[in-house]
Amino acid sequence: MQFSIKTSTAESLKTACAVVPVLPGRKLGPAGAALDQALSGALGTALAHGDLPAKAGSTLLLYGEARRAARVLLVSMGEESPVSEKSFGEAVRGALRHLGTLSGADAVSLLQEAEVDGRSFAWRLRAQVGAAREAAYRFERMKSKKEAQPVKPERLAFLVERAGAADAQREVGEAVALANGVDLAKDLGNLPGNVCTPAYLADEARKLAREHKLKVQVLERRQMEALRMGALLAVAQGSEQPPRLIVLQYRGGPAKQAPVVLVGKGITFDTGGISLKPPAEMDEMKYDMCGAASVLGTLRAVAEMKLPINVVGVIPSAENMPGGGATRPGDVVTSMSGQTIEILNTDAEGRLILCDALSYVERFKPAAVIDIATLTGACVIALGHHNSGMFSPNDTLADELLAAGRESGDRCWRMPLDEEYQEQLKSPFADVGNVGGRAAGAVTAACFLARFTKAYDWAHLDIAGTAWRSGNAKGASGRPVPLLTGFLAARAGSR
Ligand code: BES
Ligand code: MN
Ligand code: ZN
């Protein structure tokens, strides 16, 4: 789908379909009213008949004039005034659904003239681009026959006042860059484990580096051995697939500016290892690299936006299999930090690959480190599928992430990291155990990671409940690319 900005007056608008918001109280906004006048009051008449339900996202199609707006799609914004964020989203999705059934190739949206509670004009544009790209996303790479029809409309424009055109153009461009990052994260997540291996992720990183002039480095087993990454290597040793540690650097900021480092869990398939998982829904463990995918997706978005900030992406990647060389429960390994770990449960592998990556990134002298991981089933129990779990000992960093989550609609919720929980990780045989029992499983996982993050400001995002959807509409969500990109845009001072 192509997006653009239009600055013509509503009266002279020429399009296959004008998308017009109907505000609370069945009122038209200024642009809608101008269009109504140009079409001899057809919009007002339709509204007076009461055929458009008040529920947000309801639509009513009218036919206009061939040389102006050939069609007008009236879209109800709901009854709350000002329009809520939720109603705006429903209206946009309702409009897109209806536009998908029409034969016209283009549409012009006026929906941004509906004021949304606490949200800027720019937000209203970005939300529409995001929703349109969300509706247009298909994953058919593994099908021999492509089923889906091309998405309609092919072109979607936003009507804005001339004075705001340049800003609007930039906002739409950034929203497209974000959607490209989200789509990359979705594609990588949706690929099966036999295709998306650690080596495949490394190739994707190299491709991204080529296309966007990033610096890329891929460490292999020998180099991990030299770095004494005993925890990462322990996870990889039950699989035929060799591990990788991927390092991508984007330099958009001043040379001396300390980078934000993103560390993404890249388990390309998690069987649990010798602590084998039960069979039900095990296929969903191909999504155990969604943290890694979000790092690649965010770097893509940030590079396309040319954000003035330095960002490093680090991806420890391995496959967790119960092969003959696999780690046994009770094995003790030495991490890069020197801390010894008793691996009580080989299914708690994410924290093992992450802890060595978290030690590795000290060399970048980071401004902040954020790790992103489908880390615990316990986080899904705690928060469900709407909020990612966010953990940080640093209030400022935590508040920045909460704010970025609210602004982008990709929300997170802060969870505790109190010292008391560390008790649960004590081991009689090593410095730390890799599991802390059933109670507060998401918290003890974060507490484990905290032991490796003393050298910098750090936050952890547990995306086990938000990175993909199960059931009928199974698929990767691309989260938390919007959250991370919004956080970085705010840090870069551009939002
Ligand atoms: N990748 C899983 C976490 C997960 C499970 C995410 C289900 C989404 C849905 C992780 O590696 C894991 O297996 N964690 C264990 C930890 C436990 C052994 C302490 C879990 O959550 O059961
Ligand atoms: Mn696991
Ligand atoms: Zn896992």
Side-chain angles (χ1 to χ4, degrees), residues 265 267 270 277 285 288 320 347 349-350 374-375:
K265 173 179 173 183
I267 293 291
D270 181 12
K277 286 183 180 295
M285 284 298 113
D288 214 15
N320 189 21
D347 198 9
E349 85 297 339
T374 48
L375 202 62

Side-chain angles (χ1 to χ4, degrees), residues 113-170:
E113 77 169 343
E115 283 190 24
V116 179
D117 199 13
R119 294 298 177 201
S120 64
F121 187 77
W123 184 93
R124 274 124 67 184
L125 292 177
R126 289 199 297 265
Q128 290 182 75
V129 175
R133 287 286 301 264
E134 184 75 36
Y137 179 79
R138 303 281 182 277
F139 183 74
E140 299 207 305
R141 264 176 64 184
M142 308 306 291
K143 296 205 182 196
S144 54
K145 291 196 194 71
K146 315 293 171 205
E147 288 167 20
Q149 302 287 315
V151 188
K152 285 184 290 185
E154 288 159 37
R155 299 183 303 278
L156 181 60
F158 302 100
L159 190 68
V160 308
E161 279 170 21
R162 194 167 303 274
D167 283 349
Q169 191 70 57
R170 200 192 59 243

Side-chain angles (χ1 to χ4, degrees), residues 43 46-47 50-53 58-62 72-76 98:
L43 282 61
L47 290 176
D51 291 343
L52 178 70
S58 305
T59 54
L60 181 64
L61 186 70
L62 312 178
V72 176
L73 186 66
L74 294 174
V75 185
S76 181
H98 202 139

Side-chain angles (χ1 to χ4, degrees), residues 313-325:
V314 174
I315 295 171
S317 183
E319 187 183 47
N320 189 21
M321 295 285 270

Side-chain angles (χ1 to χ4, degrees), residues 482-493:
L483 163 63
L484 293 169
T485 306
F487 165 81
L488 292 168
R491 277 237 162 165

Side-chain angles (χ1 to χ4, degrees), residues 176-197:
V176 168
L178 173 58
N180 290 343
V182 167
D183 281 6
L184 174 60
K186 286 182 183 176
D187 282 346
L188 292 172
N190 286 330
L191 281 170
N194 63 327
V195 174
C196 186
T197 59

